[in-house]
């Protein structure tokens, strides 16, 4: 019985299995031979990379599913993209030439078009083998640090895109294609993030507002962001394409190719560009992406050049600077074009090393103050918790007659370089408002006190022609300054510097127009109508208004406009007459504008007696004759403090309220005040900081001008104008002491009333 139940043909099954495996291998070899990437692209096996790339672009444009409505277009586009992916990689190409395989262990076409296949938004995805659930209940923890939110994008990422490019993926939880490109995305992130490329992920389900701002309405989408401009990725999702996409986002002329013929011109251009020059020596023929990214981050400070060590026409350059050809080398030059100020050489150049190297050499030894940004970084505002920084400024000209003095100033700065000193120069013709504020002196030592332009400075007497005597005198002044910080006795408010490097308006307009044309072309090429609608609507609206105006003017009669023209002319005559009359307005200039309220019977209680705790009201005492000039000077002195929420500014007319000041001073019981001072009726130019809640005030007395009020030889108006011009000169320093809390406080039992009739009574608290 046991013998009858055994398999009657024990040798047939292994034979059938061997035949099945043979048939399967033959079919796989046949599939591999059918999908020849050379035949698909139409190139020979000896074709160069340029020929392969040219053929791929032509076929991709021909078989793009958005352009070609043939049902086979999608399959053909996938084959073309896959073929280019193989042949553009030398290792994969060699593997295919030897073994007929696309990957290391998978013949070409083995996994093509079996099962679900998805295509949209210019991506292709071969989704033959899915081993993940349809609705995943988890998210990769490694991606969580790249997730972007709308507020974070606008506050951090968008401004940072002017320093480095960003690669952003728009994804969705239940997106099959998103999971298919995930291995490629991780590989690209691992390669590009250490180079300095910003990475971001936007979840279309949770951040629809951000996705709408980016113009991404489908998942997956890959976006490049640089200089605030959004660019969509439209090619096959492979590592080489994404790397090239990031490189194409950067401006074209970031790095200049340097040879024996042009290196001296490059180094000597530091004066016109007002930037140091950096040279990178390496063996590769193309500029590395790491170097381009560094140049993009520091393009406003340093000029970058690249030298290919493998080229024979660079031999003289390599010998002159004694370059080691076995490791990348970076040389940084400033004013001296013969000897570099800093050198770095490393076999594995890292982004952190390069950033630190460039950051320490962002400015020349004596840079030109060509913009407010350079001034802010070179001469920072004094901070109470930091060491003082002094800026030694040379005011010079652009003519050749100033070159010896400028060279002597550079030599002096190189010898006397210290952490607390910054040396710079300005061209008088380019920065006239700044030079006028500094009394047109040739050498000035200054310290910035506020972002509003407040500075303390001292002019170095004797001028500057670069002689040894001038150098000794300047060195003596700097020694005195380090011993006594109060040596800077003058103060001024500097205007904002002109940006000498800003492009003219027509160039800015042309760049903006170029960006719009590129965006329109990109949207038309890939039929992105959701993004095109606002631009098309704007264009058609402008055309409608233009042609409508032309049609109306064409059909209107010539005589209809004449009465309107004569009527408009008669209406403008009173305005012209009014403008021709001399202005008596006391309004301060717009730049120095400060909201100042008059203390009257109506505003007195709210602005003083019932002032909120912790708030101060700074009150200027003036008269009718001095009102205009004093208010202008007052606004200028307190302008830098007007942003403080706890400060309020008012003025009191002493002609209307004669007894208020004497009553306030008597109630304060100042022992230093004599009877004559109390009986004095001239309080013009006094400033009081009143704390209504705690009932105390700080008093500023005007600067003595030397004018005799009893001198009848000069007119009253002239004497008043001279006094007002100088009365508030020291108010800015007094305000600084007020903010520091170092002023003496005078307490009163109660605030006097504002009425003239009851000068001795007090307001109830």
């Amino acid at each position: 019985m046991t013998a009858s139940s055994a398999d009657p043909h024990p040798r047939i099954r292994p034979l059938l299995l061997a035949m099945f495996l043979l048939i399967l291998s033959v079919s796989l070899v046949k599939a591999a031979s059918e999908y020849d990437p050379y035949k698909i692209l139409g190139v020979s096996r000896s074709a160069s990379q340029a020929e392969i790339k040219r053929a791929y672009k032509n076929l991709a444009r021909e078989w793009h599913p958005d352009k070609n409505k043939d049902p086979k277009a999608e399959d053909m586009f996938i084959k073309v993209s896959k073929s280019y992916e193989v042949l553009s990689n030398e290792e994969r190409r060699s593997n295919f030439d030897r073994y007929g395989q696309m990957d290391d262990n998978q013949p070409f076409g083995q996994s093509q078009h079996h099962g679900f296949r998805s295509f949209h938004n210019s991506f292709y995805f071969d989704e033959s083998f899915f081993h993940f659930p349809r609705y995943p209940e988890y998210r990769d923890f490694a991606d969580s640090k790249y997730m972007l939110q709308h507020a974070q994008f606008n506050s951090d990422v968008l401004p940072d895109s002017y320093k480095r490019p960003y690669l952003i993926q728009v994804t969705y939880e239940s997106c099959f294609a998103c999971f298919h490109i995930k291995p490629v995305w991780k590989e690209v992130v691992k390669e590009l993030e250490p180079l300095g490329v910003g990475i971001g992920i936007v979840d279309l389900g949770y951040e629809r507002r951000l996705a709408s701002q980016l113009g991404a309405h489908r998942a997956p989408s890959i976006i490049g962001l640089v200089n605030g401009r959004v660019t969509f990725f439209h090619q096959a999702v492979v590592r080489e394409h994404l790397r090239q996409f990031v490189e194409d986002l950067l401006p074209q002329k970031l790095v200049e190719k340097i040879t024996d013929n042009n290196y001296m011109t490059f180094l000597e251009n530091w004066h016109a560009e007002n930037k140091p020059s950096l040279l990178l020596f390496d063996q590769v023929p193309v500029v590395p992406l790491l170097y381009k990214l560094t140049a993009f981050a520091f393009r406003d400070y340093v000029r970058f050049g690249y030298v290919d060590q493998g080229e024979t026409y660079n031999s003289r350059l390599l010998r002159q600077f004694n370059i080691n050809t076995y490791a990348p080398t970076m040389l940084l030059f400033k004013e001296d074009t013969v000897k570099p100020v800093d050198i770095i050489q490393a076999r594995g150049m890292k982004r952190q090393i390069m950033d630190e190297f460039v950051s320490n050499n962002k400015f020349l030894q004596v840079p030109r103050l060509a913009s407010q940004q350079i001034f802010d970084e070179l001469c920072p505002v004094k901070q109470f918790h930091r060491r003082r920084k002094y800026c030694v400024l040379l005011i010079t000209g652009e003519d050749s007659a100033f070159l010896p003095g400028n060279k002597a100033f550079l030599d002096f700065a190189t010898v006397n370089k210290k952490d607390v000193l910054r040396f710079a120069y300005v061209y008088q013709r380019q920065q006239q408002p700044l030079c006028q504020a500094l009394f047109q002196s040739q050498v000035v030592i200054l310290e910035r006190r506020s972002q509003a332009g407040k500075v303390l400075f001292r002019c170095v007497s004797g001028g500057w022609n670069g002689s040894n005597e001038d150098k000794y005198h300047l060195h003596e002044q700097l020694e005195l300054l380090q011993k006594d910080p109060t040596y800077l006795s003058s103060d001024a408010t500097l205007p904002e510097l002109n940006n000498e490097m800003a492009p003219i308006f027509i160039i800015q307009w042309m760049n903006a127009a170029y960006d719009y044309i590129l965006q329109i072309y990109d949207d038309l090429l890939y039929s992105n109508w959701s993004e095109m609608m606002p631009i098309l609507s704007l264009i058609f609206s402008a055309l409608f208004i233009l042609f409508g105006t032309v049609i109306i003017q064409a059909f209107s009669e010539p005589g209809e406009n004449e009465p309107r023209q004569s009527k408009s002319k008669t209406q403008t005559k009173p305005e012209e007459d009014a403008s021709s009359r001399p202005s008596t307005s006391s309004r301060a200039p717009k730049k120095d504008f400060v909201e100042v309220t008059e203390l009257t019977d109506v505003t007195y209680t709210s602005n003083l007696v019932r002032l909120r705790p912790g708030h101060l009201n700074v009150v200027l005492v003036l008269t009718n004759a001095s009102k205009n000039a004093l208010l202008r000077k007052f606004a200028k002195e307190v302008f830098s403090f007007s942003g403080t929420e706890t400060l309020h500014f008012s003025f009191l007319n002493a002609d209307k309220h004669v007894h208020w000041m004497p009553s306030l001073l008597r109630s304060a019981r100042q022992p230093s005040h004599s009877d004559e001072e109390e009986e004095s009726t001239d309080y013009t130019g006094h400033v009081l900081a009143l704390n209504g809640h705690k009932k105390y005030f700080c008093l500023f007395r005007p600067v003595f001008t030397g004018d005799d009020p009893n001198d009848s030889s000069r007119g009253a108006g002239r004497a008043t104008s001279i006094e007002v011009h100088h009365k508030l000169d020291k108010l800015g320093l007094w305000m600084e002491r007020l903010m520091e809390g170092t002023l003496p406080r005078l307490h009163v039992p109660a605030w006097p009333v504002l009425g003239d009739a009851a000068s001795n009574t007090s307001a109830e608290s």
Side-chain angles (χ1 to χ4, degrees):
M1 295 295 294
T2 58
S4 61
S5 61
D7 191 353
H9 306 287
R11 297 183 178 180
I12 294 180
R13 287 191 176 184
L15 182 62
L16 292 175
L17 180 60
M19 293 177 62
F20 173 76
L21 293 177
L22 179 62
I23 295 173
L24 179 61
S25 61
V26 170
S27 63
L28 293 179
V29 172
K30 182 180 180 181
S33 61
E34 289 178 355
Y35 293 92
D36 187 352
Y38 292 102
K39 292 182 179 180
I40 293 176
L41 294 182
V43 296
S44 63
R45 289 184 174 269
S46 60
S48 63
Q49 288 294 332
E51 295 174 346
I52 293 174
K53 187 174 183 179
R54 190 183 307 111
Y56 164 71
K57 286 186 176 181
N58 294 333
L59 291 175
R61 190 182 300 110
E62 177 184 355
W63 294 102
H64 198 287
D66 290 343
K67 298 295 181 182
N68 195 329
K69 302 305 179 183
D70 191 326
K72 299 180 180 180
E74 180 180 336
D75 295 339
M76 190 61 188
F77 183 81
I78 294 175
K79 293 179 181 179
V80 169
S81 300
K82 190 69 176 178
S83 300
Y84 178 71
E85 180 182 354
V86 174
L87 298 184
S88 61
N89 188 297
E90 293 295 342
E91 184 178 355
R92 294 181 181 179
R93 182 180 180 180
S94 176
N95 193 28
F96 177 80
D97 292 340
R98 292 181 181 180
Y99 310 109
Q101 292 181 341
M102 296 290 291
D103 295 318
D104 295 338
N105 54 6
Q106 178 180 345
F108 182 78
Q110 180 179 350
S111 61
Q112 301 287 329
H113 323 306
H114 297 282
F116 176 79
R117 182 172 63 246
S118 170
F119 185 96
H120 81 301
N121 201 25
S122 305
F123 292 98
Y124 77 87
F125 306 104
D126 178 21
E127 301 183 1
S128 305
F129 304 98
F130 287 118
H131 301 290
F132 48 83
R134 179 174 179 82
Y135 299 102
E137 300 178 355
Y138 65 92
R139 183 183 301 279
D140 193 348
F141 179 76
D143 293 341
S144 60
K145 67 176 181 178
Y146 302 118
M147 300 301 295
L148 298 179
Q149 298 177 353
H150 183 265
Q152 175 200 3
F153 175 82
N154 289 281
S155 62
D156 299 335
V157 176
L158 200 58
D160 196 41
S161 68
Y162 290 86
K163 298 180 180 179
R164 60 171 176 164
Y166 272 81
L167 194 64
I168 302 174
Q169 180 192 13
V170 180
T171 183
Y172 191 63
E173 270 193 347
S174 57
C175 171
F176 284 130
C178 301
F179 279 86
H180 184 75
I181 68 173
K182 202 167 187 177
V184 180
W185 175 260
K186 286 186 175 181
E187 183 181 357
V188 171
V189 170
K190 185 178 180 181
E191 177 187 0
L192 297 182
E193 190 178 20
L195 302 182
V197 178
I199 305 297
I201 298 177
V202 178
D203 193 314
L204 193 60
Y206 294 97
E207 289 294 334
R208 291 189 176 274
R209 184 180 177 187
L210 176 56
S212 177
Q213 179 180 346
L214 295 173
H217 308 286
R218 297 176 181 177
S221 296
I222 295 180
I223 297 172
L225 178 69
V226 64
N227 288 334
R229 184 176 180 269
V230 173
T231 304
F232 280 82
F233 177 75
H234 295 291
Q235 292 181 303
V237 185
V238 293
R239 185 177 63 86
E240 292 80 5
H241 289 174
L242 286 172
R243 180 186 175 93
Q244 187 63 41
F245 173 67
V246 172
E247 194 164 351
D248 292 340
L249 292 175
L250 301 174
Q252 295 297 322
K253 297 182 179 180
L254 283 173
V255 182
E256 183 177 349
K257 276 297 196 68
I258 304 300
T259 63
D260 289 345
N261 299 326
N262 66 346
Y263 80 95
M264 282 305 301
T265 304
F266 175 77
L267 296 179
E268 290 175 353
N269 207 24
W270 64 267
H271 188 270
E273 297 288 339
N274 195 33
K275 298 175 183 178
S277 305
L278 193 148
L279 291 180
L280 173 68
F281 296 80
D282 205 348
Q283 291 281 1
V284 293
V286 296
V287 182
L289 179 59
L290 172 62
Y291 195 58
K292 288 184 177 181
L293 293 170
T294 306
F296 179 74
F298 295 94
R299 65 190 183 279
D300 293 335
Y301 302 97
V302 180
R303 302 165 58 246
F304 291 82
Y306 180 75
V307 181
D308 182 10
Q309 298 179 0
E311 296 293 345
T312 57
Y313 48 75
N314 293 328
S315 57
R316 180 161 57 93
L317 188 60
L318 300 178
R319 289 195 306 269
Q320 178 175 346
F321 296 110
N322 193 21
I323 301 300
N324 184 358
T325 58
Y326 297 100
T329 306
M330 295 176 65
L331 306 181
L332 193 135
F333 299 83
K334 292 188 177 181
E335 287 87 349
D336 188 356
T337 59
V338 177
K339 182 179 180 181
V341 296
D342 205 351
I343 301 174
I344 186 173
Q345 188 176 49
R347 190 173 297 275
M349 196 74 74
K350 302 295 183 182
R351 177 62 189 270
Q352 183 179 0
I353 298 175
M354 298 181 68
D355 286 351
E356 184 178 355
F357 179 76
V358 180
S359 297
N360 294 334
N361 298 279
K362 289 199 303 184
F363 298 105
L364 298 168
Q365 299 282 3
V366 182
R368 184 173 79 253
L369 297 185
S371 66
Q372 187 66 32
Q373 178 185 358
I374 299 178
F375 189 32
D376 292 338
E377 294 193 37
L378 198 65
C379 304
V381 177
K382 172 186 175 293
Q383 302 291 339
F384 292 106
H385 60 283
R386 293 182 180 177
R387 197 175 180 184
R388 295 175 181 267
K389 299 284 186 182
Y390 300 106
C391 194
V392 184
L393 189 61
L394 173 67
I395 300 176
T396 182
E398 304 175 57
D399 300 336
S400 58
F402 294 94
L403 291 180
N406 298 346
K407 180 63 169 59
F409 189 77
L410 171 62
D411 296 338
F412 179 86
T414 306
V415 175
N416 296 274
K417 184 169 57 177
K418 296 181 181 179
D419 292 338
V420 297
L421 294 179
R422 298 290 187 271
F423 292 88
Y425 71 97
V426 294
Y427 285 145
Q428 185 176 7
R429 187 173 61 87
Q430 300 288 349
Q431 306 291 345
Q432 290 185 2
L434 173 69
C435 299
Q436 291 174 0
L438 297 175
F439 302 155
Q440 299 287 353
S441 180
Q442 198 166 0
V443 179
V444 179
I445 307 172
L446 60 88
E447 178 190 16
R448 299 186 64 192
R449 300 302 297 267
S450 69
Q451 293 289 352
K454 194 76 173 182
V455 297
L456 295 179
F457 70 95
R458 188 180 186 91
C459 300
V460 179
S461 60
W464 178 269
N465 56 18
S467 63
N468 293 331
E469 183 180 354
D470 291 340
K471 295 180 181 179
Y472 176 79
H473 184 56
L474 179 56
H475 185 270
E476 186 180 35
Q477 298 280 324
L478 295 176
E479 290 292 333
L480 292 175
L481 175 63
Q482 295 184 15
K483 295 178 182 178
D484 183 12
T486 61
Y487 188 66
L488 304 180
S489 56
S490 303
D491 64 283
T493 301
L494 300 183
E496 186 171 344
L497 272 67
N498 301 324
N499 189 358
E500 302 175 16
M501 301 299 179
I504 60 178
F505 173 76
I506 186 65
I507 296 179
Q508 294 179 349
W509 184 85
M510 291 176 62
N511 292 335
Y514 177 73
D515 291 340
Y516 274 112
I517 292 173
L518 285 182
Q519 182 179 356
I520 293 174
Y521 173 78
D522 187 70
D523 293 336
L524 288 175
L525 181 63
Y526 297 99
S527 302
N528 199 346
W529 296 106
S530 60
E531 300 176 23
M532 280 291 296
M533 286 307 297
I535 300 177
L536 292 177
S537 176
L538 179 62
I539 294 175
F540 282 112
S541 299
L543 292 176
F544 177 78
I545 295 173
L546 178 63
F547 284 105
T549 305
V550 172
I551 293 173
I552 292 174
Q553 290 182 353
F555 286 94
S556 62
E557 297 182 2
E560 293 181 357
N561 296 330
E562 294 179 359
R564 297 180 182 178
Q565 294 176 359
S566 60
K567 183 178 179 180
S568 63
K569 290 181 180 178
T570 57
Q571 288 178 348
T572 58
K573 285 181 180 179
E575 297 178 2
E576 294 174 0
D577 296 340
S579 63
S580 63
R581 293 193 298 266
S583 175
T584 59
S585 175
S586 62
R587 181 179 178 184
K590 184 176 181 181
K591 183 178 180 180
D592 298 331
F593 173 75
V594 178
E595 184 178 358
V596 183
T597 307
E598 183 178 4
L599 285 183
T600 63
D601 297 335
V602 178
T603 61
Y604 182 72
T605 302
S606 60
N607 287 358
L608 176 58
V609 179
R610 295 181 181 177
L611 196 64
R612 286 178 292 175
H615 287 238
L616 294 175
N617 194 349
V618 182
V619 180
L620 167 68
V621 182
L622 48 78
T623 59
N624 291 329
S626 61
K627 179 179 179 181
N628 295 349
L630 269 182
L631 281 178
R632 283 194 294 267
K633 182 69 173 178
F634 181 70
K636 181 178 180 180
E637 293 294 329
V638 304
F639 174 73
S640 58
F641 305 93
S642 58
T644 307
E645 297 181 356
T646 57
L647 287 183
H648 309 272
F649 301 97
S650 306
F651 70 90
L652 176 73
N653 195 328
D655 292 340
K656 298 179 181 179
H657 310 286
V658 180
H659 301 286
W660 188 82
M661 276 292 293
S663 178
L664 177 67
L665 296 178
R666 281 195 297 270
S667 63
R669 295 187 181 89
Q670 298 183 76
S672 60
H673 267 228
S674 62
D675 295 338
E676 294 180 358
E677 290 176 331
E678 290 184 2
E679 293 177 1
S680 174
T681 58
D682 184 17
Y683 295 102
T684 305
H686 284 65
V687 179
L688 304 98
L690 308 174
N691 190 316
H693 179 69
K694 293 188 177 181
K695 298 186 182 65
Y696 72 82
F697 66 93
C698 302
L699 179 63
F700 169 80
R701 295 184 181 84
V703 177
F704 177 69
T705 61
D707 292 327
D708 185 4
N710 298 324
D711 186 4
S712 60
S713 61
R714 67 176 74 225
R718 176 174 173 80
T720 302
S721 64
I722 294 176
E723 292 178 6
V724 167
H725 182 70
H726 296 285
K727 279 181 179 294
L728 302 180
D729 283 351
K730 299 296 183 181
L731 181 60
L733 297 178
W734 182 83
M735 288 294 297
E736 290 188 7
R737 294 185 59 193
L738 174 66
M739 299 303 296
E740 295 172 357
T742 58
L743 291 176
R745 300 177 179 180
L746 306 177
H747 292 268
V748 294
W751 296 112
V753 296
L754 201 59
D756 293 341
S759 60
N760 295 326
T761 60
S762 300
E764 295 181 0
S765 57

